[in-house]
Amino acid sequence: MQPIAQKAQVMERALQQLRAKVVSGELMPGEQIRQQEMAEELGVSRVPLREALNLLADQGLLVHRPNSGYFVAKRAPNELAQISRILQLLENELLSSIAWPDDECIATLKDLNEQMRAVATAADWTPLVRLNREFHLQIYSLSPYRIILEEVKRLWTQADTFIATKMSEVSARVRTVDEHDRLIECLIRRDHDVCIQAMEVHRASTASGLAPEAQLRLTHPTASLTVDPVMN
């Protein structure tokens, strides 16, 4: 393996391990990440660790304070409601413009969901959060709107801990997998409107743990985006 590729792999491993620690609650909101201790725990040098920390800070999962270091970001309920609302608008734009998936893509989605089903009732279910993100981004990547897609990826990172909290109950995890089955069926049917409706139901399941006023803002938005479907 080339040195550059090896360094990138080490950084990616540190990135995924850090994200998992935040998602699982091992690193709590507001907690400082002590770089030397974390580097030793992850078995990496300070350089790839710092690159991973910088990337997570850019994505909003961490906060970098000059002369103080890196801290796990705190999210107030109103901030989570804002993130969810923005995701609703942007994701609907992407869904309205997707090219219909081919058999290989459908097979990938089914495989991701089966992996989620396998861990949904496991003692260590935290991989489900990563698989859930991959499932959704696989669908959104079918859209030609690359700038919107990159923003959705960034916002998903900020919402990781919220999603993990909503997935803490076994019933919620099982329900998520079942709803993914229905999303795949909608994609096979090739109906943009039905896909968006199914996603709205799925999204409401995730938002069900928000405060009542936040739920109201998400389920009864004052405006909605409409996009002419791009047919494949």
Side-chain angles (χ1 to χ4, degrees):
M1 183 180 293
Q2 296 297 318
I4 294 178
Q6 189 174 28
K7 290 179 181 178
Q9 188 179 67
V10 172
M11 190 282 288
E12 180 64 24
R13 187 175 73 247
L15 180 71
Q16 296 301 333
Q17 289 177 308
L18 283 168
R19 180 180 283 126
K21 286 179 177 295
V22 174
V23 168
S24 67
E26 186 176 343
L27 291 172
M28 300 295 290
E31 183 175 347
Q32 183 177 12
I33 297 175
R34 304 189 184 281
Q35 294 186 46
Q36 184 59 45
E37 294 177 8
M38 186 59 67
E40 293 175 358
E41 181 178 343
L42 300 183
V44 300
S45 68
R46 293 282 292 272
V47 174
L49 176 65
R50 193 174 299 112
E51 291 175 350
L53 291 171
N54 284 333
L55 184 55
L56 289 175
D58 289 342
Q59 294 174 343
L61 197 62
L62 303 179
V63 174
H64 180 233
R65 298 174 187 164
N67 303 318
S68 296
Y70 294 86
F71 298 79
V72 180
K74 294 180 179 180
R75 295 292 171 199
N78 67 326
E79 291 179 311
L80 292 171
Q82 291 175 62
I83 291 171
S84 297
R85 176 64 174 134
I86 295 170
L87 280 173
Q88 178 187 32
L89 297 174
L90 296 184
E91 288 172 357
N92 284 354
E93 284 274 17
L94 294 175
L95 281 173
S96 296
S97 65
I98 60 172
W100 296 117
D102 57 19
D103 291 343
E104 182 179 357
C105 182
I106 290 294
T108 298
L109 290 170
K110 288 182 177 180
D111 179 64
L112 286 169
N113 206 37
E114 286 307 310
Q115 291 182 58
M116 290 182 64
R117 197 185 313 275
V119 299
T121 56
D124 180 14
W125 55 267
T126 53
L128 184 142
V129 177
R130 172 183 56 80
L131 293 166
N132 182 59
R133 179 216 301 266
E134 290 182 17
F135 178 91
H136 283 266
L137 294 182
Q138 179 76 23
I139 295 173
Y140 301 143
S141 295
L142 296 169
S143 168
Y145 297 162
R146 312 320 290 177
I147 295 176
I148 295 178
L149 177 62
E150 290 306 311
E151 182 62 14
V152 165
K153 289 180 179 179
R154 188 184 71 84
L155 290 170
W156 263 78
T157 298
Q158 294 188 35
D160 262 352
T161 52
F162 165 69
I163 294 172
T165 300
K166 300 305 109 185
M167 297 284 191
S168 60
E169 296 292 332
V170 174
S171 59
R173 300 195 293 272
V174 172
R175 184 173 64 248
T176 293
V177 174
D178 290 341
E179 289 168 356
H180 283 183
D181 285 335
R182 288 191 283 275
L183 284 170
I184 293 172
E185 292 172 3
C186 292
L187 290 169
I188 293 174
R189 288 176 56 183
R190 299 193 170 193
D191 187 320
H192 285 102
D193 291 336
V194 171
C195 285
I196 291 175
Q197 290 170 8
M199 188 63 76
E200 291 286 7
V201 171
H202 182 48
R203 190 180 290 118
S205 293
T206 305
S208 63
L210 289 174
E213 63 272 15
Q215 288 187 49
L216 182 63
R217 286 196 295 272
L218 294 178
T219 56
H220 296 81
T222 56
S224 61
L225 294 179
T226 56
V227 180
D228 292 334
V230 178
M231 304 304 294
N232 188 31

